[in-house]
Amino acid sequence: MERPAVRLTQLVVGLVLYAASIAMLVHASLGNMPWDVLSQGIGRRLGWSLGTATIVVSLVVLLCWIPLRQRPGIGTVANVLVIGLLVDPFLALAGLLGDLPLWGAILMTGGGIVVNGVATACYIGARLGPGPRDGLMTGLVARTGWRVRWVRSGIEIGVVTTGWALGGTVGLGTLAYAASIGFIVHLLLPRFTALTGPRPVRTTGTAALTGR
């Protein structure tokens, strides 16, 4: 039996937490998540806020869905709007903490990665549509037949390199995120999917579905 109210609530909670996790890593300044490196770099070059850059990047990625014949869901649209609109307010809240000592930055980075893992499991487990970046990856996999890990790695290496060249922050936090987020989501996703209905959970490959 489906639980639409639970799924919608879980989606919104997941996206709000995702925006908070972005702000945590950005404020810690030890390295952003891969796509946020790109958004931050574009924002710095064009004088945009991170939230504005995040929305624009998401919309451009959605345009790439057209030749891949991917179809957005309500979760896809919510992903663009909720995360993009909340990143800047969360950054403002994080800014109230001021400059962090190294130990504080490490704690905030670790906390942000964990929060992001919970957030990702929430919104994917809601099963209301993939995020723009998830859909790009799965669409390329479907069209090319390439392995998920190689497609995801290729995309993220490309966005990190481009974002770094534009001025986005890359560091140990970026590496820690890449090394741990798949395990966290793999561990949590079955639990959050079970909340939204009895549909069997496939965890194979879920480590790749962490790109928003």
Side-chain angles (χ1 to χ4, degrees):
M1 184 175 181
E2 295 290 338
R3 301 176 181 179
V6 173
R7 293 171 65 189
L8 186 58
T9 300
Q10 183 172 308
L11 171 69
V12 173
V13 170
L15 295 179
V16 171
L17 289 177
Y18 207 110
S21 71
I22 292 173
M24 292 172 72
L25 268 75
V26 171
H27 184 71
S29 299
L30 294 182
N32 302 335
M33 291 180 272
W35 281 96
D36 299 319
V37 175
L38 177 62
S39 295
Q40 187 184 55
I42 291 173
R44 286 176 171 173
R45 287 286 181 172
L46 299 179
W48 295 348
S49 70
L50 181 60
T52 298
T54 298
I55 291 174
V56 171
V57 169
S58 296
L59 293 176
V60 171
V61 172
L62 280 178
L63 290 177
C64 296
W65 282 31
I66 297 174
L68 298 175
R69 299 179 185 176
Q70 292 286 91
R71 293 184 179 181
I74 185 174
T76 310
V77 177
N79 187 293
V80 175
L81 296 178
V82 175
I83 294 177
L85 293 175
L86 290 183
V87 166
D88 290 340
F90 276 126
L91 274 174
L93 285 175
L96 296 177
L97 297 174
D99 293 335
L100 299 174
L102 179 58
W103 64 266
I106 292 172
L107 286 177
M108 180 165 280
T109 297
I113 292 172
V114 172
V115 170
N116 186 265
V118 173
T120 301
C122 271
Y123 90 74
I124 292 179
R127 295 180 284 121
L128 289 172
R133 297 148 182 82
D134 294 330
L136 174 64
M137 179 191 64
T138 55
L140 285 171
V141 169
R143 281 294 174 186
T144 63
W146 297 340
R147 291 180 180 271
V148 171
R149 72 180 71 174
W150 298 120
V151 172
R152 181 193 173 194
S153 296
I155 291 173
E156 295 199 346
I157 289 171
V159 299
V160 167
T161 302
T162 303
W164 175 75
L166 292 173
T169 305
V170 179
L172 293 178
T174 310
L175 296 176
Y177 176 85
S180 61
I181 192 63
F183 172 77
I184 296 172
V185 175
H186 183 83
L187 182 67
L188 296 177
L189 185 58
R191 292 163 173 78
F192 283 101
T193 306
L195 295 176
T196 62
R199 184 178 298 182
V201 179
R202 292 180 58 190
T203 57
T204 302
T206 55
L209 297 178
T210 57
R212 221 157 67 240

